[in-house]
Every structure is written in structure tokens, then in C-alpha cells.
Amino acid sequence: MSDKRGERLRSRFSKGINKLAGQYVASISFDWRLYRQDIAGSIAHAQMLAKQGIISERDAELITSGLVSIRDEIEQGKLEFKSELEDIHMNIENRLFEKIGDVAGKLHTARSRNDQVALDLRLFVKEAISEAVSKLRKFQRVLLDVAEGNRNVVMPGYTHLQPAQPILFAHHLLAYFEMFQRDIERFQDCLKRVDVLPLGSGALAGVAYPIDRDFVARRLGFSQVSTNSLDAVSDRDFVVEYEAAAAVTMMHLSRLAEETVLWSSAEFDFVEIDEAYATSSSIMPQKKNPDVAELTRGKTGRVYGHLMSLLTVMKGLPLAYNRDMQEDKEGLVDTVDTLLSSLEVFAGLVRTVKVNAARIRDVTAGSYILATDLADYLVKRGLPFRQAHNVVGKLVQYAISKGKGFEELSLEEYRNSSPLFTEDVYAITVEASIAARNAIGGTAPEQVAVALTRAREIVGVEDEKQAD
Ligand code: ARG
């Protein structure tokens, strides 16, 4: 084994690691993504060691400036990572030795890679949460803009993907606003449990130096310090929670994606995807494909997969650290990348979509979507609902047999099905049906206006919070 680090950590061995085994245990190809967190954690640790008199101020300064310059090298693409050095922690430590010599060896005092990697991950997940929340907020604003820009557009509401009752298009979009609101709250709630400093737990048993964990927590922006060293280095439940929140968000995005695919089809033709978000076919020149929406739907699969994968990795591990846990990282990093890019790109698609209001209205009116309202009409005139349901069901059957819509039926035809029908049955329109659903949470314009105002307040309040 020729590399320095091999010699440095393998003094109890008389030979180097097998080449393939070395590659097998290496994680640098994906955990390099933790470099910023690793360096921030190391700087805070070194400064704490100096403050506590465990190392000298001079050594802490050397270590700090060395680490800062390593961060610059990484950001400029100048540091070549080596898989013989296994992971990001050892790659950075090795580079520090090259830069400042043996003083570098003092950085790992009162620390283990086990609490170090737990720290890096927690810092990484904290950032990932704040990015997810801000991208979800942006998406909510897009939904609000599109909803407000199409306030009067009506559409069929569906159950079983069959036209059910007319609704406002804005009401439909606001349903996703609600889902994203809960997604944001899930991430924020998860943050409380991520926001705990594990550094200072050592390998598993705690640290035998007079360290100041509160100082490190403050430096790194943690609001709490972990209270059990075994737990702090050996659980990844905070990653599971983040990935679960990401999975739920992707589930929501995927449903909107599915609707976008459907709605942009020639058969529905409810919306038109902007060319900037559409793809073409390699053989059929006429095609305008919704690949962005399809991939948002499709990528949901890998996010679910990472969650299941980590749950499975963790389920059989004895306390405390086990190398199995290195398997948390690829899935986590990919979850972050997938979630954030999906939110960003798909929001762009929604922002630029063209809504074919006239076409949606025609489809709405062209179905027997007012059947419930006809039944309600009979109920108001004294018929029990079940009987009214029956009468209107027969009327639908009759209208279909004549190839007519409700509005094309004569009063006589109505009265043949029930004498309770009078001239005012023609006042039952799509708009009247929508306006009637005026209980809290309903699709009536009045309720949707309240919902829009409330939604604007929610996204506005957060703006102020971010500004603080
Ligand atoms: N790359 C390792 C991981 O991600 C770092 C911790 C290594 N610790 C150890 N005891 N081998 O889990």
C-alpha cells in the first residue's frame, strides 16, 4: 500500500487492503457531496478544541485556514478525490496533511468518523429541508398565479376519472396547494429532529476530553445537542423521515404530473404544454410529448425506493455504528437531487401552461354532470333523495337514448320523468351548480375566493419569515 493514509490508519496490519476490497468499501464517488458540511464541522471542532485548550490556538488557525483552502480547491475542481482514501472525510484529512503537515493529525482529537459522518449528514439534511421548503413555496405561488389567472374557468370534477360534478379549475389547483402545504409542514416538523448535534459522541461511548458541545452546536446552528452517544452515532431515522417526507411530496407531484399528461392529450385537450417544456419524437414528427410530467411521475419510484432501501438497511443493525450505514448516502443524495429538480422543473411547466378554458367548458357541459343537481332539485320539492336519484338515473338513460344533453330536453320530457319538474329546471347550469356548493371548503366562487386569500396569506407570511 503506497498511499500515506493507508499507512496512517493501518498500523496494526502488516499489509495493505486488497484492491477490490478497497474499492468495495469506498464511498467517495458519492459522499464527496458532503464536503462543505465536513469542512464546516471540522472548523467548528478545531475552534472548540482550541477554546478548551485541547490544542493550541495556532494549530486551530493552521487547521482552519488549511480547511478553507481545501474547500476552495474542491469548489474549483482542483482536488482529485482518491478512492484509496475511502471517503470524503479521509480525502479531506489527507489533503490537510499535505498542506499543513503533522498538525493536521490534531484535528481528529476527541472525534471519530462515526460522529463526524452523523454530523455531516445532519447538516446536509437540514439544508436539503430548507431547499425543499423554499421550492415547495415557489410551487405554491405558481399554483396560486395560475388559479388566479383562471378564476372563472369551470371544469368537470372527476371520481373514477368519470365526470362527476362541475368545479372551478382554481379549486382543483388549490387542492394541490393544500397538499404542498402539508408537505412543507412535514419537512418543518422533521427538521426538529434533524436539528440535533451528534458531534461529541465519539465512536460510540462519548469523549474523554473536556469538550464544549454547546459551543459547537451554536457555531453550526444546531438548536440541540444529542443526549445519548450510542444513539447519536447509530440512528439514521432523521434520514428516513426526510426521505418519507420527500416520498409523500413526490406522490403529490406525481398525481399532478399524471393529470398534466392526461389533460395535455389530444383527447382531453384541457391544457397545452409550452414548447419549452415539451419534447419531440425521433420518428413521429407531429408529436409533442409531456416527458417532463412523465419523468416527474416516473422518478417518484426511485424516491420511494430509497426510503424502502434505508429502512431495510437499518432494521437489523445492532448498536452502535455499522458500516452498513454508509449505504444511506447514495439514496439520500439522489432523493435530494430528484426532489429539488422535480419541484423546480415541474413548477416551470405549470407556470407556462396554456389553459384551454373554452374547450374545458364544452367538455363540462357536454356530460351529464348536472345529474346530482337535478336530484337535489327534486329533493327540494319534497322527494326523498334515493327516489330523486332513481328518477334522474332514468332521465339520464332516456336522454342518452335520444342523444340529448339535459339542456336539450323539453319540459314535457322532464315532466314525464317527474311532475315535480317545472320551467325553473333550466336554471340548473354549471355555474349555478358550482355556486351552490358554498359550504366551507366547497367549490363555490365565494369559497374559492376565501381559499385564495388564505393561501396568499400563507405564502406571504413565510416570505416575511425568510426575510428576518
Ligand atoms: N464513510 C463512512 C460512512 O459513511 C464514514 C464512517 C466510517 N466509520 C467507520 N467506523 N468505518 O458511514
Side-chain angles (χ1 to χ4, degrees), residues 23 52 149 157 173 233 333 342 388 444:
Q23 287 166 4
Q52 298 299 97
L173 291 185
V233 294
V333 168
S342 298

Side-chain angles (χ1 to χ4, degrees), residues 27 31 87 89 113-114 117 321 323 325-326 329:
S27 53
D31 69 12
D87 55 26
H89 324 294
R113 256 195 301 171
N114 298 348
V117 71
Y321 179 84
R323 191 63 175 264
M325 287 155 65
Q326 181 168 287
K329 279 169 213 68

Side-chain angles (χ1 to χ4, degrees), residues 33 124-125 127-129 131-132 242-243 246 303 306 330-343:
R33 291 279 299 269
F124 186 80
V125 173
E127 244 178 73
I129 287 176
E131 284 174 80
Y242 166 81
E243 289 180 356
V303 174
H306 297 321
E330 273 174 292
L332 171 62
V333 168
D334 187 64
T335 299
V336 173
D337 292 347
T338 304
L339 176 72
L340 297 180
S341 61
S342 298
L343 283 169

